[in-house]
Amino acid sequence: MRRFWTLVVLTLHEAARRRILVAALLGALAFLVLYGIGFHFVAKEAAAHNVASAIQRRLIFTFFTLAGLYATNFLVVLSAVLLPLDTLSGDIASGVMQTLAAKPVRRSEILLGKWFAYWLVCAGYLALVAGGVLGIAWFHSGFVPPNAVAGLALMLLEATGFVSLSIAGGARLTTVTNGVVAFALYGLAFIGGWIEQIAAFANNLPARNVGTVASLLVPTEALWRLAAHLMQPRLMAELHLTPFSPAAVPSAAMVWWAGGWTVVVLAWGLRGFAKRGL
Amino acid sequence: MSTNAAVVETHGLRKRFGSKLAVADLSLSLAPGEIFGFLGPNGAGKTTSLKMLLGLIEPSGGEGRLLGRPIGDRAARAKVGFLPEHFRFQDWLTGRELLRAHGRLYGLGGADLEARAESLLARVDLLDAAHVRLRDYSKGMQQRAGLAASLLNDPQVVFLDEPTSGLDPLGRRLVRDLMHELKGRGVTVFLNSHLLGEVEQTCDRVVFLKAGRVVREHVLGGGDLALDVELRAEGLGPAGLEALARLGEVRDHGAGLLVRVPGPAAVPEIARAVVAAGAKLHHLAARRTSLEEMFLEVMGDEGRPG
């Protein structure tokens, strides 16, 4: 285990020194500041004009909280893909990997050490940004989304999927190709998700199936939809009162599918890395 | 493993990249405590061979053993040191941190690792710069840090790929001395190098690799190298030349003649032949054929600059 933890610590150092992490943190901070100011005015407006019913106020606060979490999800996915993008391919290209792999270390330890380090970074990033959003919402409105823990866990699973994809791609592809592939797959899941939503809303079964297939191929976006569904009051979700109320709610099986998908992606990376000439 | 068993042993090791055969047939056997030189022009397959032995790339065929275990075996790698041609590591680490990280990757830790790291930093003359980040090291310092890192685990065999390429004369001397120290402790050194003068000074044995094949093996310091005798004589007629030609291969080298003879016993014979031919002998000097000359001879056309 000493070797594994040494690799984790080295990778955490590497991540901490990256400008991209600083950029991600500054981006998150700017977002939270803007979000805080926006929420402040929304809450003030709602209080000043004594906006209609408590239900309406609740609707507004839920909408704003989910919008914040939606942005959080996007930032976390972006970081999960970009932060570890070249941790393997970069070390292979620079020759650092030769020194690492010639040590009595399993190739799988190298890959999993890097994976775990970037997973920690992304989990921390999610905790920071989502914690900020939920804190701001609670501070201004006293609103705490239902099932927040389950929702955040699903967002973390989505981030885990993208960290795994980025690392596994880095074990097999060059940095640029890896980035293109990861974002193409993210785009596929994103568009597939919307097709599924619109088709469900319009009751178009063939189109909905296309969306479902996309979600099966890349199940990460479905996790966000399930998280969004869980983190709003049941009535709002069922009446589709916010843009974050999915028309087609992914089932619990999708969570298992996404977990399995992540394991398969990592195994694909491990297999490629074990055979790769360095 | 008994002490006499081969440290590195390969039979017909082969590596193909697509249609290109990088290593065609590598059969080697290295003894404990031997300094072994692996020579060849650029692209001959030296680095590819070394990477196969270290498990960095998978051979396409043949077999190899390292310290009695199949190549690529993790337990064998625990007793191996490796300095790549361009040593690179996370350059935000200081020299001391580099050695600690490498030591942990070898499974070392605690006071043992600290003591070992400090003594190696001193040995490669980096103790004063141990707190400086690698990115502020000169190329030579980086190479020395890499060398220290490759010796942390007290290896039984060390693979050095062009270890002196970025070093100044003092650094080269340090590496040379270190190799002799390792040999003294029974450590096998596998040296890839272009610097034939250095190889000549350090290696016990060399093989020449050409187009992925071992084309010649040569034991250094064994006295079996041919001698080149430089000769300047006046009035050496056809009979004299004929007599010299019987002793060895005669070439004109501008200022005089060069006679390649099989060994030192032929040198007085040459003097005798010149005098017997009635010529005046002005200059006679015998020198061993240099490794460089042998290299150029073995490589033929491939001896062109690569």
Side-chain angles (χ1 to χ4, degrees), chain A residues 1-233:
Chain A
M1 282 313 265
R2 178 177 278 158
R3 297 182 177 103
F4 175 78
W5 289 113
T6 304
L7 288 161
V8 171
V9 170
L10 273 174
T11 311
L12 283 174
H13 270 273
E14 168 192 289
R17 301 192 53 82
R18 298 208 150 178
R19 292 221 172 95
I20 188 169
L21 183 65
V22 177
L25 287 173
L26 287 177
L29 205 65
F31 161 69
L32 286 176
V33 168
L34 281 175
Y35 184 70
I37 294 170
F39 214 120
H40 167 74
F41 284 114
V42 168
K44 203 171 152 189
E45 185 86 356
H49 297 281
N50 201 8
V51 169
S53 62
I55 290 185
Q56 262 177 316
R57 274 207 296 280
R58 183 108 199 241
L59 176 65
I60 291 169
F61 293 146
T62 304
F63 172 77
F64 243 77
T65 309
L66 283 175
L69 289 172
Y70 182 72
T72 302
N73 189 57
F74 181 72
L75 283 172
V76 170
V77 165
L78 208 64
S79 307
V81 171
L82 288 179
L83 286 176
L85 196 62
D86 71 340
T87 184
L88 280 172
S89 51
D91 277 0
I92 293 170
S94 71
V96 167
M97 193 55 77
Q98 285 181 18
T99 312
L100 281 181
K103 296 277 182 299
V105 181
R106 289 188 188 92
R107 297 250 181 128
S108 57
E109 283 175 318
I110 298 176
L111 188 143
L112 291 175
K114 282 180 176 282
W115 175 85
F116 185 65
Y118 278 104
W119 180 83
L120 281 179
V121 171
C122 287
Y125 190 68
L126 172 67
L128 178 81
V129 188
V133 166
L134 293 178
I136 288 167
W138 173 80
F139 179 75
H140 288 301
S141 67
F143 174 70
V144 177
N147 307 309
V149 172
L152 292 183
L154 287 170
M155 287 165 75
L156 180 59
L157 181 56
E158 182 181 2
T160 308
F162 277 112
V163 169
S164 308
L165 185 66
S166 188
I167 294 262
R172 288 176 172 262
L173 311 168
T174 61
T175 305
V176 174
T177 316
N178 187 20
V180 170
V181 169
F183 276 109
L185 290 176
Y186 174 68
L188 178 75
F190 185 79
I191 296 296
W194 279 105
I195 292 175
E196 200 177 344
Q197 294 308 301
I198 294 163
F201 207 69
N203 252 333
N204 182 330
L205 191 62
R208 189 174 168 172
N209 285 341
V210 168
T212 307
V213 168
S215 289
L216 287 173
L217 285 175
V218 193
T220 45
E221 181 72 10
L223 295 174
W224 158 251
R225 276 185 283 136
L226 186 55
H229 174 77
L230 289 174
M231 287 191 286
Q232 53 193 298

Side-chain angles (χ1 to χ4, degrees), chain A residues 3 17 103 105-106 278, chain B residues 56 74 77 105 107 135:
Chain A
R3 297 182 177 103
R17 301 192 53 82
K103 296 277 182 299
V105 181
R106 289 188 188 92
L278 299 172
Chain B
L56 294 175
R74 209 157 51 91
R77 286 211 301 272
L105 290 172
R135 86 162 79 88

